[in-house]
Every structure is written in structure tokens, then in C-alpha cells.
Amino acid sequence: MQPGLKQLFLRTNGLISIKPKIRITDNYTLSLVYSPGVGYICQVIQKNPDLLYDLTITGNSVALLSDGSRSQIKKPSWMIPNLEAISALYKAFYDIDAYPVILDKEIMNGSDDYLLILDNLSTTYKTIVLVDIEEKLTQEILQKLENAKLDCTVVISNTHSLVEQLKDAALIKSVLDSRSILKPTQIEQIRLKLKDLDFTQLPSYLTVTLSSAYAVSLNEIHKNGLFHHTVKNITPSQFVSKLNDLYLYGEIAYYNRWTPKQFLQNNDINQNSLELHKRYNGVITIALKFNPRSLEDLYRIYELSYRNNDILEIQKLFEADPKKIREVTIKKNYAAIVTNGTAILGLGNIGPSAGSPVMEGKSVLFNALGGIDLMPICFKERDPHKLVQLIRFIAPIFSAINLEDLRAPDCFPIEEEAIHSIHIPLMHDDQHGTAVVSLAALINYLKLTKKNVKDLKLVINGAGAAGVAICKLLHGHGVEDILICDTEGVIYEGRPKNMNSFKNDLAKFTNKNKIAGKLEDAVKGRDLFVGVSSAGALTQDMVRTMNKDPFILALANPIPEIMPDEAIKAGAFIVATGRSDFNNQVNNSLAFPGIFRGAIDTKAKEINLQMKIAAAYAIANSIKENELSPIRILPGALTAEIPANVARAVAIAAMESGVAQVKVDPEEVFDNTRKLIMEGSIPTL
């Protein structure tokens, strides 16, 4: 007997996962998908936004949204199996990457909030599919979409028919490939053309039928001139030929081949990063957790499931035991990375679209080093409170949320409000990931120099997200003498210029002697410099004025405050940067994969201070004391043991501090993290 979707869900813990398109094998490949290479991709897109289609997932990805209102289910999250089934169908039959999102209808204020979320998602997802939306609300949304100036196509697919789902998939694939922005009336025009296609012979001649439906949609778009100008020279027949290549050869046919004369060793990191992103059109993809022998087999599985209401049967499991939703769906291991593009790397406020490559690169790291499926989300919204509202709207499907590249001081109230609103692990990695790894580096610096933490004199340049978090975490660990500088110079209590509530809070426990002046004044006699500011901010002359055996953490990306060789010549004992192509990389990937892994596996309500400190010690202690040296103060970011060590330590801290909602065996967390990294899957915890 042919198995249905219910059996697949129970066997595979969901139908889809999010996987890297490329392998991260060493620091060089890491630098191509993340820092420093990815910063160049962001700048390329900022100069030419059309390249978003070629260099990121945008050209082949949709956001798949549902609130469950049409089915009138008790909890919107019960729609997860439905969305996963549709996502798997899109992937298998048309190679569309569909990222599922559940909307919390209870806190959304009618159609206006739906348009708000659609508009905000449109920076990355130029095609958005709404599923199972209640009829009256659907009509309101459609009416407003017709007159709205949204930079995306919105398809409403409320059908429970497999044939209609396949027709919608053909339509969506044609919209993606033609890079079209269509109004609802234009979508209906294409649907009318698809209506007369003969699907009665399925599953016989399945790929021919699928290809025909795609061709009909494409031709209609082409005939009416609705395609994007970047694909104006590609005819519908060329697109159809490419789709047929997919059915014959697999998805690799979509990738751009290296030309015979492309010698990558002749290029710098930036150029090779560009070539890599061009080749793969982004660096992550949806992957099926099961392997159907043929598309005909998969068609029969879906046909049986639609007939037997398999999705409804899975939802009944959730009603009987709410914990099952984490066991049998993607929610078990699904997180979001959210930005609004206001502080991308060291590039600043370059906007959410240009920031997309960073979110994808971070998704690769989450998966490769923590086995976590991560959906990149680049919102337009700048207002902190409204951004939190958007996060709340999309939260029900995720087991954790990572905030990324949010400007200071906005990032502080955003994180604080979000933590108290959604009750799942949430962390702004630019603050706390950097702080945790910096603390780990400090712990090992103290081991090498035998200095006492209470005697350390610290100067931090940069009072943004990372600077504030580092200041608070190191102070909490025992560093008492701290100066922190911003663009106006040293911060002190009562300073009249460029202060805000967050800097006022810092001034209460730093700079007790109220030292004024610029950075060159602040570094004199200091043991430790932490730079989270801008390229070239620290000079050799400044380093020469520091205490004996100074430690320089120059963390500006992609170009540090001082280059390591210059700092060493000026007398620095240890130099660390945020770069993967130098020794001692203060790489957040040492922290966040394990922190989130431990938090997710314990179903923690939040990521608290105890969990962060536990993570820092786990990172520091991953290097034996007899192996520490000035050029090895931190372990390599790609060492599989590190995230496993961190996950175990964080799980213990979560349970001991009372934020864990389940008790787990820490050794099992360690072992399963290793399995995820090595094998890509683990048994149910």
C-alpha cells in the first residue's frame, strides 16, 4: 500500500529542511559565504538592486504564509504540516524553494496588517503565497492588493485539490522565472489559461503535463510584456527547456557552470565570493527529508493523502498531545534570522535587500555548525515597536529567532520588547554573540598572561550594539576599570553631547574618574582594547601607549580598526579580529550555533545571562592550556566539537537557571549536535 503524508511526517519529523547549497570545508570557503566576502556581495547589490535576483535566493524562493482561518483550526501553528506538504510539492515538482510562515491571526488587525507583512517580506521574497485564508479576509486582501504598490506578487492559493495545487505551482514558477510583479487580476488571467489544460491523465505523462502548464503561464506573461527587464532576452522556450533539464538531470542543471577559463586561484576573496553567489543564486535551499523513487510515486502519495485527509489526521495528533507539533514538523528545528538592514556588517544602513546575502550566509553557518534550519527575513520596517509587532506576527512557526544587523540604539528596545512578547529563545547576535566570544578570548588571555581580571584596564571603541553588550558582559565577569568611547570621545556621566538612555546607563558603572578626551587619550595605560567601530580607528602610536602585553580585539568588519601585523609591530601581545583569514578570529559562529542549539533542545523560554557565560567558558575551555598561544587564543570556528560543547553547557545553564521547559541529558545534547553537524539529521530528543 502506498504510504501517505501522515506516515512520512511521523518517520521524518517533517517533510522539509533548509540546507546550504555549498560545503563549508575551511576558513576560505567560510570567508566566501560570510565575512569578509559577503560584504562585497552586499555592496554589489546596493549599487545594482536588480542583482538581488542573481546573487541571492530571491530568484527562486517564495514565502508561504498561512493563518489557518479558512480551516478554522484552534491554533494557527497546526497549519505547519499543510505548509510543509505544499513546500515539498513545490520543491519536488518545480524546484521552487518555499519557506513556510505561520501568521498569528489573533494579534493581527485585519487586512491592513496582512498587507504590512507582505510589504515587509517583499525585500527578499518577490513572490508570496497565502494559504488557507478565510474567504471574507481573502477578498479584502485581494481588493487592496489591486491598488497597492507592493514590490512583490501575491498568490492566494486556498485550494485543497492536488490538481489545482499543481496549477498554482506552475503559475508561481513562471512568475519567479520571469521575475514578474503581478496584480491579482493578472494572476486570474493566467489561471484562466491554465483552466483548460488536461490533468486527467495524471500521473501518466506527469513531467510533460507539468512542463505544459509552466509553458502556458510563461507564454501569457511574455505575451503581455509582464516580465522583468533583466530577463527580456530569454524566450519562454528557453525557460521551458531549462525546466525539462531539471526533470532529466536534477537541480544542478540550474546552476551556472564555471567557464573553462575561470581560474579561481587568480581572484581575490571578493571576486570569488561574487562568482560563487552567481553560480548558485544564493547559498541556501529547501531540501526534502524523504527521497521519492519518482515524481509519479510522489504524486500518488499526495493524491492518497488529499483523499484520506492525512493533514487533518496529523492535526488531530496535536489536539491530543500539543507536544507532538515539535516532534513531527519542521518547528522542532526551525528558526528565523531577522534584520531590517540598518547595520549590515561594517557597512551600516545599506537597507534590507542589500543585507540579504548576510542573512543567507548566517543561515549556512547555523546549519553547518548547529544543524538548525534558518529562514532569512529582511523586513523594511525601521520603527522598533512596529518591527517587534512584525516579529510577533510570524513567530508561531519558529522555535527560536536570531536578530541580526539592527542599528543601535534601536536594537536594545527591539530585543527587550521581543523577548517579553514571544517567549521563545531570541537573541541579537551582534550584541551577545560578539560579547560571548570576546569573553572567551579574555578568559584565555588571562590564562596566558596570569593577569588578574580585577586589575585589567579595558577600553572599548564603539558604543553600538556589540560595544554595549561586550561592556556589560565583561563588567559582569569582573572587569571593573572600563572606558567606552563613541564618535564624541570618552563617555562619562553628565557628558553634554551625543548621549542617550543606554549610554547614560553605561556611564553609571564605567569611567568612574570621569576621564574626558578622544580615543588616543583613552587607550593610554590600558591592557585591553576592544574595537567595534570602524576601519583604521586604532593607530600604531596608540598601541605603543598601552600597558605591557596588550590584547587588541579589532573587530570592525570587513576591515579592522588596525591590521594585525601593524599592531604586533607596535607591541601588541595578542591581536584578534573578526576576519576568518587572520589568526584569532572572534567569530560569532563559535557562539550562536551552540547557544541556539542548547536553547532549542531544552525549549528554553529565553537566552539568559547564565547561558551566555556558560557558552563563553565552553568556547575558552575547548583549547587546552598547554595549547594556548598568542596566535591561538580561540579555537577554529569550524571545529565540530565547539558547538557541541557550547550546546551542552547552554543546556545545563538553561536547566539550572529555570528557563528550560524540558529536562534533557546534556550528553545527549552534545552527541546529537555532533550528529547534526556530521550527518545532517538526528533522532528525536
Side-chain angles (χ1 to χ4, degrees), residues 67-293:
D67 64 4
S69 58
R70 188 167 180 265
S71 297
Q72 296 183 331
I73 56 176
K74 291 183 179 179
K75 293 185 178 180
S77 59
W78 291 4
M79 284 296 296
I80 296 175
N82 191 296
L83 293 189
E84 281 200 70
I86 295 171
S87 178
L89 183 148
Y90 286 0
K91 184 66 181 181
F93 291 109
Y94 282 109
D95 194 37
I96 298 167
D97 290 331
Y99 295 82
V101 176
I102 298 294
L103 299 175
D104 189 345
K105 63 183 179 182
E106 298 301 323
I107 62 171
M108 297 181 73
N109 186 24
S111 56
D112 285 342
D113 277 350
Y114 284 78
L115 260 68
L116 179 65
I117 196 75
L118 295 171
D119 185 38
N120 269 275
L121 286 171
S122 68
T123 54
T124 299
Y125 302 97
K126 298 300 182 185
T127 303
I128 301 173
V129 185
L130 290 175
V131 176
D132 212 77
I133 306 295
E134 178 265 318
E135 190 59 33
K136 182 182 176 185
L137 181 57
T138 294
Q139 293 307 314
E140 289 179 13
I141 293 171
L142 285 171
Q143 190 174 8
K144 289 184 177 179
L145 284 172
E146 196 66 37
N147 301 311
K149 293 182 179 179
L150 263 62
D151 191 26
C152 65
T153 296
V154 180
V155 178
I156 296 185
S157 183
N158 275 343
T159 180
H160 288 174
S161 159
L162 176 57
V163 167
E164 295 305 314
Q165 286 282 8
L166 289 174
K167 288 181 180 179
D168 279 351
L171 186 157
I172 290 161
K173 181 65 173 173
S174 66
V175 170
L176 284 169
D177 286 349
S178 58
R179 302 179 179 181
S180 301
I181 306 298
L182 302 182
K183 294 292 186 181
T185 50
Q186 294 168 328
I187 293 168
E188 288 310 307
Q189 185 179 337
I190 297 171
R191 278 183 167 143
L192 283 174
K193 295 291 181 181
L194 289 167
K195 195 172 184 181
D196 296 331
L197 282 177
D198 183 11
F199 275 67
T200 59
Q201 301 301 313
L202 298 183
S204 299
Y205 304 107
L206 179 60
T207 56
V208 173
T209 305
L210 295 174
S211 184
S212 298
Y214 172 66
V216 168
S217 296
L218 264 180
N219 281 311
E220 187 66 19
I221 288 172
H222 193 80
K223 183 182 76 175
N224 291 287
L226 300 173
F227 49 83
H228 194 276
H229 69 90
T230 54
V231 292
K232 64 182 177 182
N233 296 321
I234 305 176
T235 64
S237 60
Q238 288 173 294
F239 278 124
V240 173
S241 175
K242 214 170 186 182
L243 181 65
N244 288 328
D245 280 350
L246 169 71
Y247 295 139
L248 288 173
Y249 306 119
E251 65 180 0
I252 196 67
Y254 271 82
Y255 298 157
N256 301 308
R257 305 288 185 182
W258 303 122
T259 65
K261 294 184 179 180
Q262 271 182 311
F263 292 103
L264 299 185
Q265 61 265 37
N266 294 341
N267 299 329
D268 62 15
I269 283 176
N270 287 346
Q271 191 60 38
N272 279 343
S273 182
L274 183 64
E275 294 296 342
L276 188 78
H277 284 76
K278 273 185 187 176
R279 173 167 159 75
Y280 289 104
N281 305 128
V283 293
I284 60 171
T285 188
I286 296 290
L288 301 183
K289 286 187 177 180
F290 60 99
N291 187 21
R293 187 181 60 184

Side-chain angles (χ1 to χ4, degrees), residues 436 590-591 593-602 604 606-622 641-660 664-671 673:
V436 165
L590 288 167
I595 291 175
F596 275 90
R597 181 79 269 156
I600 289 171
D601 289 350
T602 56
E606 61 181 51
I607 296 170
N608 61 21
L609 178 64
Q610 294 93 320
M611 294 158 78
K612 295 167 197 168
I613 292 174
Y617 271 97
I619 294 165
N621 294 335
S622 293
E641 185 181 6
I642 306 304
N645 285 340
V646 172
R648 174 174 54 195
V650 167
I652 292 170
M655 290 185 286
E656 289 180 349
S657 62
V659 297
V664 296
D665 181 350
E667 296 309 315
E668 192 174 346
V669 171
F670 175 90
D671 192 53
T673 304

Side-chain angles (χ1 to χ4, degrees), residues 227-454:
F227 49 83
H228 194 276
H229 69 90
T230 54
V231 292
K232 64 182 177 182
N233 296 321
I234 305 176
T235 64
S237 60
Q238 288 173 294
F239 278 124
V240 173
S241 175
K242 214 170 186 182
L243 181 65
N244 288 328
D245 280 350
L246 169 71
Y247 295 139
L248 288 173
Y249 306 119
E251 65 180 0
I252 196 67
Y254 271 82
Y255 298 157
N256 301 308
R257 305 288 185 182
W258 303 122
T259 65
K261 294 184 179 180
Q262 271 182 311
F263 292 103
L264 299 185
Q265 61 265 37
N266 294 341
N267 299 329
D268 62 15
I269 283 176
N270 287 346
Q271 191 60 38
N272 279 343
S273 182
L274 183 64
E275 294 296 342
L276 188 78
H277 284 76
K278 273 185 187 176
R279 173 167 159 75
Y280 289 104
N281 305 128
V283 293
I284 60 171
T285 188
I286 296 290
L288 301 183
K289 286 187 177 180
F290 60 99
N291 187 21
R293 187 181 60 184
S294 69
L295 289 183
E296 285 191 15
D297 275 351
L298 187 56
Y299 180 89
R300 289 188 179 96
I301 290 171
Y302 271 79
E303 188 179 39
L304 176 70
S305 298
Y306 275 76
R307 196 184 315 136
N308 292 349
N309 285 323
D310 270 20
I311 299 296
L312 185 60
E313 290 299 311
I314 297 170
Q315 291 174 353
K316 287 179 180 177
L317 287 177
F318 305 153
E319 189 164 19
D321 182 2
K323 294 178 183 177
K324 287 286 185 184
I325 198 164
R326 284 258 193 150
E327 293 177 19
V328 303
T329 74
I330 192 175
K331 185 177 174 71
K332 171 191 172 83
N333 200 43
Y334 192 31
I337 180 167
V338 176
T339 189
N340 63 1
T342 51
I344 299 293
L345 296 177
L347 304 172
N349 186 8
I350 63 174
S353 292
S356 290
V358 178
M359 303 307 111
E360 289 185 42
K362 204 67 173 278
S363 297
V364 170
L365 298 184
F366 264 95
N367 192 272
L369 301 175
I372 298 167
D373 299 328
L374 207 72
M375 176 184 178
I377 296 175
C378 303
F379 284 139
K380 291 181 179 180
E381 187 57 62
R382 302 294 181 88
D383 179 83
H385 179 69
K386 289 181 181 177
L387 186 62
V388 174
Q389 281 293 98
L390 290 168
I391 291 169
R392 291 179 66 204
F393 290 166
I394 64 167
I397 196 171
F398 299 113
S399 55
I401 292 177
N402 180 65
L403 301 179
E404 191 78 17
D405 293 345
L406 305 175
R407 68 185 174 192
D410 292 350
C411 60
F412 306 122
I414 289 169
E415 184 186 44
E416 185 177 350
E417 185 179 348
I419 285 172
H420 291 102
S421 298
I422 62 174
H423 308 298
I424 58 173
L426 178 142
M427 186 175 84
H428 184 204
D429 181 55
D430 301 290
Q431 292 185 61
H432 307 294
T434 306
V436 165
V437 183
S438 298
L439 175 55
L442 173 63
I443 290 166
N444 282 342
Y445 170 70
L446 295 174
K447 292 176 186 175
L448 278 175
T449 60
K450 309 301 180 187
K451 291 184 178 182
N452 190 315
V453 69
K454 299 288 185 184

